[in-house]
Amino acid sequence: MATSRADLPANAEASLLKVRDLHTWFELRQWGFLRVGAVHAVDGVNFTLERGEAVAFVGESGCGKSSLARTLLGLHRPTRGSVRFAGREMQSLSPAELKAYRAEVGYVQQDPYGALPPFLDVRRILAEPLIVHGIKDRQERERRIRAVLEEVRLSPAEEYLGKFPHMLSGGQQQRVVIARALILAPSMIIADEPVSMLDASVRVEILNLLRGIQARRELTLVFITHDLSTVRHFAERIFVMYAGQVVESAAVDELLDHPQHPYTQALLAAIADPDAANARRLREVPAGEPPSLIQPPTGCRFHPRCPHAMAGLCDRDDPPDFTPRENHLSACWLHR
Amino acid sequence: MIGARWREHWEELRRYPSALVGMAIIALLVGLSLYTVIAIPYSQALEKWRGGEPWQLHPVNAAPVWLDRLTGGREARTLIASSEDAEVEEVPFEGGRRLRIPLEVDYDYAGFPSELNLFLHAEGHPQRPFARLAWQTPDGREIALGGHRIGREDRISLSQDRALERRLGGLVPHVGLLADPEIEGEPQVLPGRYRLLLDAVVFDDTAGIDAELVLYGRVHGIAGTDHQRRDLSLALMWGTPVALAFGLLAAVGTTVTTLVIAAVGVWYRGWVDAVIQRLTEVNMILPLLPILVMVGTLYSTSIWLMLGVVVVLGIFSAGIKMYRAMLLPIREAPYIEAARAYGAGNLRIVMRYMIPRILPVLIPTFVTLIPTFVFLEASLAVLGLGDPVLPTWGKVLNDAQSQSALYNGYYYWVVSPAVLLMLTGLGFAMLGFALDRIFNPRLRSL
C-alpha cells in the first residue's frame, strides 16, 4: 500500500470511531450567495464504535441517516463537531491522510447497478481503487482482485473478470460492489441500505455474506436501514434516528424488546403484525408529518407528533440523553 | 474486454448499408488524400498552384476529357510539335547559317484547337536570328505568317495575329489555319498533316534554335483547366487532404475542449460552472462567420490560423449546454460517489468516469460534425478568404465564381469541387446516422 496506513496512528486500545456533536448542514442560498437557511440533515449526533462491532442506524426516510453515512465517508464536510477515526480527528487530516482514510473505510451503496460504472468491466472496476491508491504492479492487482472475488463468492473469478455490470444479476452486482469496498482492506464498512433494491430471494444471501466477511475480517460494520426485520440478525447495537438526531440507542434485543423513546415505541407498535413476513418491518410512521429539517421544531424534535408531549418542557428544551435502563440511552424528558 | 465491445459495435455497423457506403466514401477520400500527399509533395503543389511557367503548355479553360467522351465528340487535345523531333536542314554561308525547321502535326480532331502558340528559344547568338514562318496545309496551300526577330525566349501568339486573321477572312488563326476552304458557312476542320516551316538565318556557326509549336486542345485531363491554364485536378486532389484535415482537426479540437470544459464545469459547479456558462452564452451570440471574415481581412487568411480561430471560438460553443445536460445526471450517479469514497481525485473522476460515459453518444455527433467544418472552410474560400497559397476546393469555386464560370459554360469548374464537397458530406452523414442508431438506443429499429 503506497499511501501507508502508518499515516494514521494505529491505536488498537482506543475505539475505532468517536463521533461527538456532529452537525452536517446544507446551506440554502439564493442567487448563489445569499444565505437563506440550511437543511439540518445531521444535527448533533454522538456515538462511539468499537473495532469489530456491527451497528445499525434506523429511521424513516429523511431522518439524516444517509447524510450521516456520507459525512463519515468524508463525502460531506461536517458543519460542526468532531469525527475521530482511530484517534485522529478527520477534519484535520491532510489530503494524503484523507486518501489513506478513504482506504480504511469501505462503502456499499443501495443501488448496485448505479454503483458500478457501466462502461468498465469487473476487472477494471476492482482495479480502479488499487490504481488510485498507487498499486502499480499488475500482477499484484490481479492477485488481489481474484482473492476478493473469491471472498464475495464470485467464483471462479475468471468467469466474472471480463463481464460488464449489465451482464450480471442484481445479487452479483452487489457482490462486486462489496468486493470493491473490501479490496483496499478497510477496517470499517459503511453499508447504506445494501439490500433494499435487491430481490427478496438474494437479500439474505447478501446480508449473510456481509455478516460473514465482517466476522472474519473483524470489521466495524455500519449498517444503515429502514428495515427492522434484518437488524436483529446483523447488528449488535441499534441507533434510532429522528430529524437528524439519535433519539435512542441500545443493544439490539434490549431496544427491540424494551423500547423507551415514544418514537421507537410508535415505530414498533406500527409493525406489531402477526404476519411473520411483515414482522419487525417499518411500514407506517407515527401519525403526523416528519418535521422540516430546514426549521426543525424547538425542544424535542418529536414533540409535535408525541402522544406524551409535555407543554412548556418538550416544546422548549432539547432533551439530553437519559439512561432509563442499563446501557440504554433515550433522549426523552419522560425519563428525567 | 473493451475490444469485444467494439467488435460488437462493428458487427452491428455492418448491418447498415448506409454505414458501409459512408465508410467506402470516406475510405476513398482518405485514399485519395494519401495518394495526393505522396504523389505531389506539399511544396511542389504550392509552387505549381502559383501559376505561370509550369502551365504554359496547358490550354486555357479546357473541359475535362471525360466530358468530351460523354458527348461523343472528338474535341481537340493539345498537340505539340518540337524542333527536337524535326529534321533540320542546315545551309552554311559566310558569317552564319540558314536553318529550315519543319514542325509537323497530324490533326484529325473534329473540333478546332483553342489557341496556337509558337515558342522559340535562341541561346548564345551574338546577334538575334531572323526567321520567316510559313504554314503548309494538307491540301498544299501555303500561308505566309510573316517574319520575326527571335529573342532568347520568345512566344509568338499566332492566335493573336490580327493581320493574319484579316487575311484568313475574319477567322481567328487557330480556326482559319485549319479550316477546309472548300466548305462554305460554318468552318470545318480539314484533317491531315500540317506543317509550320521555319526559315531562319542565324549569325553564328554553332548555336541553334529550339522551336515548339503548340496547338492547345479544348479538353484536358480529368478535371480540365482554369483561366490561368492550371490543371484543376491539382486543386481537387490537394483539396481532399486539406478539407479532411481541416474538418477532422476542427471537429476534434472543438469536441474535446468543449467536452472537457463542460465536464469540469459540471464537476466543480459553483463559480467555475457559472463562469463557463456565461462565457458560453456570450459566445453563442457572437456570429462565427463575420469574426472569421474580420480575422481574414485584417490579419491573415492562412488556413491554419482560420482553424485556430474556429477551434478557439468553438470551445465555448452551444455544445457545452448539451454536454452539461448529459453530464449533470452522471455527476450524481452512485458510482461517482463510490469513486470519491475510495479516494479518486477530481481529474480522474472527470476524465475517467464522467467523460467516457457520454463518449458513445458523442461519436455520431462528432462524425457528422466533420463535414460542417469542411463546408465552413469552403465557404470562407468562396468568400475570398481562402488560404492564399493552398489549393482547396473552395478556392476552385472562388475562381470559378470570379471568372463567371457558369455564365461562360464551364460547368465542370463548379461541378467537380461541388461534387467532392457533397461526397464528403454524404460519406460522413451516412456513417454518422448509422452510428447514431447504434449508439443511441432510442433510435434503434427492432
Side-chain angles (χ1 to χ4, degrees):
Chain A
M1 184 124 297
T3 45
S4 136
R5 293 276 161 93
D7 293 351
L8 297 168
N11 188 345
E13 304 301 315
S15 309
L16 184 70
L17 188 72
K18 258 190 189 157
V19 173
R20 287 290 168 267
D21 195 31
L22 184 69
H23 292 71
T24 303
W25 293 358
F26 301 107
E27 289 195 349
L28 299 173
R29 288 165 191 271
Q30 203 167 12
W31 302 326
F33 56 92
L34 272 186
R35 285 182 56 179
V36 293
V39 177
H40 300 225
V42 180
D43 207 14
V45 167
N46 298 289
F47 62 89
T48 303
L49 300 184
E50 306 301 327
R51 283 179 190 275
E53 192 182 20
V55 301
F57 284 83
V58 297
E60 51 194 329
S61 54
C63 70
K65 52 195 195 304
S66 288
S67 297
L68 175 66
R70 294 199 175 97
T71 310
L72 296 181
L73 284 159
L75 298 176
H76 295 325
R77 246 192 125 61
T79 313
R80 203 164 76 224
S82 119
V83 176
R84 292 181 84 83
F85 184 85
R88 286 291 292 273
E89 175 57 49
M90 212 175 88
Q91 296 249 54
S92 67
L93 295 179
S94 71
E97 287 169 333
L98 187 64
K99 197 167 163 185
Y101 168 73
R102 289 188 155 150
E104 286 282 352
V105 185
Y107 185 27
V108 177
Q109 287 152 298
Q110 184 174 7
D111 167 15
Y113 184 64
L116 299 171
F119 48 89
L120 297 182
D121 61 8
V122 170
R123 175 187 277 116
R124 184 73 197 187
I125 288 169
L126 295 178
E128 280 292 322
L130 298 174
I131 295 169
V132 165
H133 286 272
I135 294 166
K136 296 206 169 64
D137 180 8
R138 248 167 204 286
Q139 268 135 28
E140 166 71 3
R141 286 209 300 256
E142 186 74 13
R143 193 186 59 70
R144 287 174 72 159
I145 290 167
R146 281 166 191 270
V148 82
L149 278 177
E150 299 288 342
E151 192 173 353
V152 298
R153 314 251 168 73
L154 287 175
S155 59
E158 288 79 35
E159 215 173 283
Y160 298 95
L161 282 172
K163 287 201 167 150
F164 287 87
H166 66 92
M167 303 170 174
L168 302 173
S169 71
Q172 290 169 334
Q173 286 167 355
Q174 194 61 302
R175 284 168 198 267
V176 175
V177 172
I178 293 168
R180 181 175 63 187
L182 291 172
I183 198 152
L184 293 169
S187 47
M188 178 165 88
I189 293 276
I190 295 175
D192 189 354
E193 312 235 19
V195 294
S196 66
M197 292 194 49
L198 298 179
D199 280 353
S201 55
V202 293
R203 280 183 187 173
V204 176
E205 276 175 50
I206 294 290
L207 287 169
N208 279 331
L209 177 73
L210 267 176
R211 186 67 167 153
I213 290 166
Q214 185 258 334
R216 207 168 335 109
R217 291 196 175 207
E218 296 182 343
L219 292 171
T220 303
L221 181 66
V222 177
F223 185 51
I224 286 163
T225 184
H226 62 268
D227 182 1
L228 280 168
S229 63
T230 54
V231 165
R232 200 189 282 265
H233 309 287
F234 296 101
E236 289 138 26
R237 272 201 294 160
I238 300 188
F239 297 85
V240 179
M241 284 189 76
Y242 184 77
Q245 297 178 330
V246 173
V247 293
E248 186 169 2
S249 66
V252 171
D253 293 333
E254 163 71 16
L255 189 136
L256 293 179
D257 298 341
H258 308 285
Q260 296 298 307
H261 196 281
Y263 175 63
T264 318
Q265 287 168 353
L267 277 183
L268 291 170
I271 57 168
D273 192 316
D275 186 344
N278 289 332
R280 304 289 185 220
R281 177 171 252 273
L282 194 82
R283 285 186 319 177
E284 279 175 67
V285 292
E289 296 277 310
S292 156
L293 293 179
I294 298 170
Q295 281 172 314
T298 53
C300 173
R301 299 286 156 88
F302 188 59
H303 85 260
R305 297 164 80 184
C306 183
H308 312 291
M310 292 169 281
L313 177 64
C314 294
D315 56 354
R316 235 183 43 219
D317 298 322
D318 238 346
D321 282 337
F322 292 99
T323 316
R325 293 162 63 89
E326 201 186 334
N327 290 327
H328 194 143
L329 296 179
S330 173
C332 179
W333 286 116
L334 286 174
H335 312 305
R336 103 195 106 133
Chain B
M1 295 306 291
I2 299 291
R5 184 167 257 210
W6 287 107
R7 204 160 27 244
E8 216 173 278
H9 286 317
W10 166 244
E11 289 299 321
E12 209 169 336
L13 200 58
R14 288 205 333 200
R15 287 196 276 126
Y16 290 94
S18 80
L20 293 180
V21 174
M23 283 189 289
I25 293 174
I26 295 168
L28 194 79
L29 293 169
V30 170
L32 178 61
S33 304
L34 290 177
Y35 170 77
T36 305
V37 172
I38 293 165
I40 314 168
Y42 182 74
S43 54
Q44 194 184 322
L46 293 194
E47 179 71 32
K48 283 180 112 178
W49 193 246
R50 212 170 290 154
E53 181 80 13
W55 306 106
Q56 62 180 1
L57 299 182
H58 285 63
V60 173
N61 287 334
V65 169
W66 54 264
L67 201 63
D68 178 46
R69 293 244 168 85
L70 225 58
T71 51
R74 286 167 44 247
E75 287 288 353
R77 314 287 199 268
T78 299
L79 293 175
I80 299 170
S82 170
S83 59
E84 279 172 37
D85 310 324
E87 291 189 17
V88 181
E89 285 177 45
E90 275 191 50
V91 183
F93 65 89
E94 186 61 36
R97 289 173 298 151
R98 218 176 250 287
L99 298 180
R100 175 172 268 243
I101 307 171
L103 298 170
E104 291 179 338
V105 286
D106 286 318
Y107 198 89
D108 65 342
Y109 296 114
F112 290 97
S114 58
E115 203 181 348
L116 260 176
N117 275 343
L118 181 64
F119 293 93
L120 296 168
H121 313 270
E123 293 259 12
H125 295 269
Q127 209 182 331
R128 287 171 71 179
F130 184 82
R132 187 170 291 283
L133 307 175
W135 181 258
Q136 294 176 342
T137 60
D139 54 356
R141 287 174 294 136
E142 184 164 309
I143 301 161
L145 300 178
H148 291 272
R149 283 216 172 271
I150 304 168
R152 256 187 341 144
E153 290 274 334
D154 247 355
R155 184 170 87 166
I156 299 168
S157 299
L158 295 171
S159 298
Q160 311 284 318
D161 193 334
R162 296 290 157 218
L164 180 61
E165 189 175 327
R166 274 194 300 279
R167 280 196 285 135
L168 291 167
L171 292 175
V172 283
H174 56 262
V175 174
L177 288 176
L178 291 110
D180 190 338
E182 305 295 313
I183 294 168
E184 298 289 320
E186 193 74 6
Q188 299 273 313
V189 171
L190 176 70
R193 172 161 296 193
Y194 288 86
R195 180 184 292 139
L196 181 80
L197 209 56
L198 194 98
D199 271 317
V201 180
V202 297
F203 305 99
D204 189 88
D205 290 339
T206 50
I209 294 172
D210 290 326
E212 247 180 336
L213 172 69
V214 185
L215 284 78
Y216 293 93
R218 289 193 184 270
V219 291
H220 182 91
I222 53 163
T225 60
D226 67 3
H227 60 299
Q228 294 186 47
R229 302 178 186 274
R230 295 179 297 193
D231 193 337
L232 287 176
S233 67
L234 175 71
L236 296 180
M237 282 168 76
W238 253 98
T240 316
V242 171
L244 291 186
F246 188 92
L248 193 70
L249 289 175
V252 168
T254 54
T255 308
V256 169
T257 50
T258 305
L259 187 54
V260 169
I261 287 175
V264 164
V266 165
W267 178 244
Y268 286 98
R269 292 210 275 222
W271 66 266
V272 178
D273 193 32
V275 167
I276 290 171
Q277 294 310 310
R278 296 303 87 72
L279 276 174
T280 306
E281 280 146 22
V282 170
N283 194 44
M284 273 163 74
I285 56 159
L286 290 180
L288 177 64
L289 207 54
I291 291 179
L292 289 174
V293 170
M294 263 162 55
V295 171
T297 312
L298 299 174
Y299 191 54
S300 149
T301 49
S302 155
I303 195 169
W304 308 120
L305 176 79
M306 288 295 173
L307 178 68
V309 175
V310 166
V311 171
V312 167
L313 289 176
I315 290 176
F316 290 99
S317 66
I320 283 194
K321 297 278 179 193
M322 185 179 82
Y323 302 150
R324 183 168 184 268
M326 291 160 90
L327 287 164
L328 275 173
I330 293 168
R331 183 194 201 277
E332 304 303 328
Y335 78 84
I336 299 282
E337 191 178 54
R340 284 183 67 200
Y342 62 66
N346 292 325
L347 189 69
R348 191 171 193 88
I349 288 175
V350 170
M351 303 302 287
R352 304 300 291 268
Y353 302 147
M354 282 169 71
I355 289 178
R357 185 70 199 277
I358 62 167
L359 230 39
V361 192
L362 290 190
I363 290 172
T365 323
F366 171 76
V367 170
T368 38
L369 196 62
I370 294 173
T372 65
F373 287 112
V374 173
F375 295 159
L376 178 68
E377 188 271 324
S379 317
L380 285 173
V382 170
L383 287 174
L385 295 165
D387 190 279
V389 290
L390 212 54
T392 65
W393 297 338
K395 285 191 65 189
V396 173
L397 285 171
N398 180 237
D399 288 342
Q401 189 204 15
S402 67
Q403 297 297 314
S404 313
L406 288 178
Y407 177 74
N408 288 318
Y410 309 137
Y411 300 104
Y412 59 90
W413 203 350
V414 178
V415 169
S416 28
V419 162
L420 283 168
L421 279 167
M422 283 190 283
L423 212 57
T424 310
L426 188 71
F428 284 102
M430 286 177 99
L431 179 62
F433 294 154
L435 286 171
D436 208 11
R437 288 200 198 158
I438 291 166
F439 287 111
N440 227 339
R442 267 169 300 170
L443 297 174
R444 199 171 292 188
S445 51
L446 292 171

